[in-house]
């Protein structure tokens, strides 16, 4: 009995070190291995180890698999050759192409990643866009039911997805606005497979405001919003269903280069691209949200990438994701900038540049 238990412990210790894609193969080895790998305790152990040790980290990017010079802006290449793929954080060599789980050939957007799950929906969102929670490693997905709460058409729809540790559930937060500034917020629970409409909208959101970028952390959806010249962060806890507002630091006066993400397990703001005292270097201001107050940290300092560069997020720990626009090819070159060493690494990944009206987007997230 003791010997058998010891063998299982050794097996678990070996298997938790493997990436999810390799574990899928063992589901067919035998029933006992399939039961072990599929058990909730093993899944939790595997996720905890990968998160704490930053093991098997990938970048999930919308990119151009084949890059060539664009002469005609109406070239079908612009709309036909975008591809979501996974890139290991060590080699940045494409290891997996992610085709739509339903076999659709239409482009789709990814609106969050957590513990191996991603949330996907239409590239241009509407109130009735289908929403899928998908695990690309094991090729399983669930489609959220159509909400029965909505009977209006909205001019703007935003989606965010992640895991809420306090309630042990995956959540999708959908925010929708009409042209008359009416706001609706819905929350989807993966555990109950149902939507809930949030009735209590705070007065400070019942006005004209512009939405910029957002992120999801520890069950809370964060959005940068602008009311007149004032920037602030709107937060919504998908568990307690409470809203909060945090006025941005006074130095934040433009949406250009403004980014919200997570740094060292804290919500952070990054803003501004400008030269610093060190000759030939650029810097970005950095603040973290501590006890509901903004604390300014040392700025991010790095060698300039070119005439048009910007930060698009944070990978893991202290690695910043940065884009340098290649106007000749119409793509964004993806770089990693180390906050502490100030070293910049070119990944070789050619990000697809998506344009909606006058706003350009690129997509690169940690998976």
């Amino acid at each position: 009995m003791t010997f058998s238990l010891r063998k299982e412990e050794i097996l678990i210790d070996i298997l938790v070190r493997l990436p999810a894609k390799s574990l899928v193969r063992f589901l067919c080895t035998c029933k006992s291995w399939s039961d072990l790998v599929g058990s909730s305790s093993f899944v939790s152990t595997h996720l905890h180890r990968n998160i704490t040790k930053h093991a098997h980290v990938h970048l999930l990017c919308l990119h151009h698999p084949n890059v060539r010079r664009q002469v005609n802006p109406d070239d079908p290449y612009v709309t036909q050759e975008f591809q979501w793929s996974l890139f290991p954080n060590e080699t940045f060599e494409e290891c997996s192409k992610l085709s739509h789980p339903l076999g659709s050939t239409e482009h789709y957007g990814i609106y969050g990643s957590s513990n191996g799950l991603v949330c996907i929906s239409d590239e241009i969102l509407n109130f009735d866009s289908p929403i899928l929670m998908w695990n690309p490693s094991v090729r399983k997905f669930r489609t959220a039911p159509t909400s029965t709460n909505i009977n209006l058409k909205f001019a703007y729809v935003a989606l965010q997805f992640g895991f809420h540790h306090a309630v042990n559930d995956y959540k999708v937060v959908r925010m929708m606005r009409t042209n008359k500034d009416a706001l609706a917020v819905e929350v989807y629970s993966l555990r109950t497979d149902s939507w809930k409409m949030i009735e209590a909208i705070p007065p400070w959101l019942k006005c004209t405001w512009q939405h910029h970028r957002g992120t999801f952390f520890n069950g809370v959806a964060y959005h940068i919003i602008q009311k007149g010249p004032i920037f602030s962060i709107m937060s919504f806890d998908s568990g307690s269903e409470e809203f909060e507002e945090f006025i941005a630091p006074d130095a934040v006066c433009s949406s250009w280069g403004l980014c919200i993400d997570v740094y060292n397990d804290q919500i952070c703001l990054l803003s501004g691209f400008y030269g610093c005292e060190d000759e030939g270097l650029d810097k970005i201001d950095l603040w973290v949200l501590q006890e509901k107050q903004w604390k300014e940290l040392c700025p991010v300092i790095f060698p300039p990438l070119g005439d048009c560069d910007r930060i698009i997020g944070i990978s893991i720990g202290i690695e910043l994701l940065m884009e340098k626009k290649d106007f000749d090819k119409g793509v964004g070159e993806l770089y990693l900038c180390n906050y502490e060493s100030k070293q910049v690494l070119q990944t070789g990944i050619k990000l697809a540049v998506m344009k909606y009206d006058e706003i350009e987007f690129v997509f690169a997230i940690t998976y």
Side-chain angles (χ1 to χ4, degrees), residues 64 68 70 72-82 107 352-354:
H64 283 298
R68 57 183 173 82
Q70 295 184 46
N72 179 1
D74 297 324
D75 190 328
Y77 153 80
V78 175
T79 59
Q80 292 182 358
E81 293 198 17
F82 292 165
H107 292 159
V353 179
M354 310 295 289

Side-chain angles (χ1 to χ4, degrees), residues 61-65 80-85 87 94 96-99 107-108 352:
C61 303
L62 182 64
H63 71 115
H64 283 298
Q80 292 182 358
E81 293 198 17
F82 292 165
Q83 171 72 54
W84 283 103
S85 296
F87 299 84
E94 183 183 35
S96 181
K97 292 182 172 65
L98 303 186
S99 299
H107 292 159
Y108 62 92

Side-chain angles (χ1 to χ4, degrees), residues 5 20 29 32 57 64 66 72 77 79 111 126 128 139 149 158 169 193 224 245 249 266 279 309 317 336 347 361:
L5 182 62
T29 303
S32 62
V57 174
H64 283 298
N66 299 296
N72 179 1
Y77 153 80
T79 59
Y111 296 93
N126 203 341
D128 58 353
R139 299 181 179 88
N149 300 320
D169 194 8
D193 192 30
I224 300 174
E245 183 179 25
Q266 300 172 99
E279 186 177 353
D309 50 10
L336 261 64
T347 67
F361 296 90

Side-chain angles (χ1 to χ4, degrees), residues 23-234:
L23 289 174
V24 174
R25 303 174 187 173
F26 296 115
L27 293 174
C28 303
T29 303
C30 62
K31 186 178 185 303
S32 62
W33 280 38
S34 178
D35 292 342
L36 173 63
V37 172
S39 67
S40 59
S41 60
F42 179 84
V43 171
S44 297
T45 302
H46 185 263
L47 287 173
H48 178 73
R49 183 185 187 279
N50 287 345
I51 292 170
T52 55
K53 295 183 178 294
H54 293 157
H56 313 307
V57 174
H58 289 72
L59 292 175
L60 179 54
C61 303
L62 182 64
H63 71 115
H64 283 298
N66 299 296
V67 178
R68 57 183 173 82
R69 182 181 177 88
Q70 295 184 46
V71 178
N72 179 1
D74 297 324
D75 190 328
Y77 153 80
V78 175
T79 59
Q80 292 182 358
E81 293 198 17
F82 292 165
Q83 171 72 54
W84 283 103
S85 296
L86 287 172
F87 299 84
N89 211 43
E90 298 84 14
T91 64
F92 307 112
E93 295 180 0
E94 183 183 35
C95 65
S96 181
K97 292 182 172 65
L98 303 186
S99 299
H100 196 288
L102 294 177
S104 171
T105 57
E106 297 294 323
H107 292 159
Y108 62 92
I110 294 181
Y111 296 93
S113 169
S114 180
N115 300 335
L117 291 181
V118 294
C119 175
I120 69 174
S121 189
D122 293 340
E123 184 179 69
I124 299 177
L125 292 168
N126 203 341
F127 74 98
D128 58 353
S129 293
I131 299 172
L132 284 75
M133 274 58 64
W134 175 35
N135 188 325
S137 298
V138 298
R139 299 181 179 88
K140 293 183 178 181
F141 67 91
R142 176 185 290 183
T143 303
T146 301
S147 171
T148 59
N149 300 320
I150 302 298
N151 55 14
L152 295 174
K153 287 192 175 182
F154 290 84
Y156 176 82
V157 180
L159 276 185
Q160 289 177 291
F161 165 79
F163 185 69
H164 200 308
H165 294 276
V167 298
N168 192 32
D169 194 8
Y170 290 91
K171 301 279 191 175
V172 177
V173 176
R174 176 163 57 189
M175 296 191 178
M176 299 157 286
R177 294 180 63 207
T178 68
N179 289 325
K180 296 183 179 180
D181 297 326
L183 175 67
V185 178
E186 279 191 305
V187 178
Y188 169 78
S189 162
L190 184 63
R191 187 173 58 196
T192 64
D193 192 30
S194 62
W195 289 95
K196 179 180 180 181
M197 175 65 75
I198 305 303
E199 302 293 343
I201 303 297
W204 51 267
L205 280 175
K206 296 178 180 179
C207 63
T208 301
W209 50 271
Q210 289 181 283
H211 170 272
H212 295 289
R213 301 185 59 172
T215 191
F216 195 98
F217 177 59
N218 280 349
V220 181
Y222 295 88
H223 289 267
I224 300 174
I225 64 175
Q226 182 180 1
K227 293 183 282 188
I230 305 299
F231 288 85
S232 63
I233 308 304
M234 170 185 64

